[in-house]
Amino acid sequence: MPSPGRPGAHEDPAAAVGAAAELLAVLHAHGQDGAVPAVSPSQMRALIAVEGAEGINLRALGTVLGSRPPSVTRLCDRMEALGLLTRSPHPSSRREVELRLTPRGRTLLAERRETSARAFSAVLARMAPEAVDALVTGLASFREAADGVLSAGPPADTADGPDTADGPGEDAGAPQGGGPPRGAGSPGGAGSPEGVGPARTPARIVDTA
């Protein structure tokens, strides 16, 4: 059935995936309002990226997020102030720092994933078992294909996008978007229905916090 507002979306695989991604973002945010601490989608994605690569440095995180160094630094400043991550000197390079999640950061991710998993489970429960199986199989293939695309890096004309990390107001509590998987920013994660969780490859995400 075509997605509302997108006639014939099922006839175009890319459009169907895009519509599903938008719906997943809505489901992922469902029930997150009022969560403490309030974090923006870009902060969530950064936390997930750090979780998937403990000890990652600012430059590598910027590559994952598709953001410039000043934007990444400001993003980490805010997350460190919230007590979600720490920065420490790199053991072999005085010019680099390592990023690691704090216990509070790990707890926040676990709570957000549990909330999302409940929303996803409510939808899956309304689907026929064979449809759920087909979805799980399709998602596994999609993750495998995405790994190959992401490992190749961003296209040359988008590798250094505009610096928009300090948009006003978003850090005050924007709903959680479809974050990358563990290391990638996808909704779900620990606690999500089996096979519907995220891939483990970091995704390139434009920072809009």
Side-chain angles (χ1 to χ4, degrees):
M1 176 182 299
S3 176
R6 294 197 174 198
H10 66 290
E11 298 174 2
D12 181 347
V17 171
E22 293 171 358
L23 180 57
L24 283 171
V26 173
L27 289 171
H28 184 62
H30 187 68
Q32 306 280 9
D33 291 345
V36 177
V39 295
S40 70
S42 54
Q43 288 173 338
M44 281 291 294
R45 292 161 184 163
L47 288 173
I48 293 168
V50 174
E51 179 193 42
E54 286 284 346
I56 189 173
N57 60 32
L58 290 171
R59 180 178 56 195
L61 180 61
T63 299
V64 171
L65 299 176
S67 300
R68 298 176 180 178
S71 301
V72 178
T73 298
R74 291 192 293 269
L75 187 67
C76 291
D77 285 343
R78 294 191 291 270
M79 292 191 295
E80 189 171 32
L82 289 171
L84 301 176
L85 61 73
T86 61
R87 287 179 285 196
S88 58
H90 192 281
S92 60
S93 175
R94 297 176 59 184
R95 299 182 61 183
E96 294 185 8
V97 297
E98 294 183 330
L99 303 173
R100 301 182 185 279
L101 296 187
T102 63
R104 187 182 191 188
R106 295 184 184 281
T107 297
L108 182 147
L109 286 178
E111 290 175 346
R112 299 297 197 274
R113 286 171 174 151
E114 182 178 354
T115 299
S116 296
R118 288 196 295 267
F120 296 152
S121 295
V123 174
L124 293 172
R126 299 172 66 89
M127 296 172 59
E130 58 271 21
V132 174
D133 291 341
L135 175 63
V136 171
T137 300
L139 286 173
S141 297
F142 185 87
R143 290 197 300 267
E144 183 177 353
D147 285 344
V149 172
L150 295 172
S151 64
D157 61 347
T158 60
D160 192 20
D163 179 2
T164 58
D166 281 334
E170 185 178 4
D171 283 335
Q176 312 312 316
R182 260 184 207 220
S186 171
S192 62
E194 183 178 357
V196 186
R200 304 297 177 185
T201 302
R204 178 186 178 278
I205 310 160
V206 177
D207 176 15
T208 58

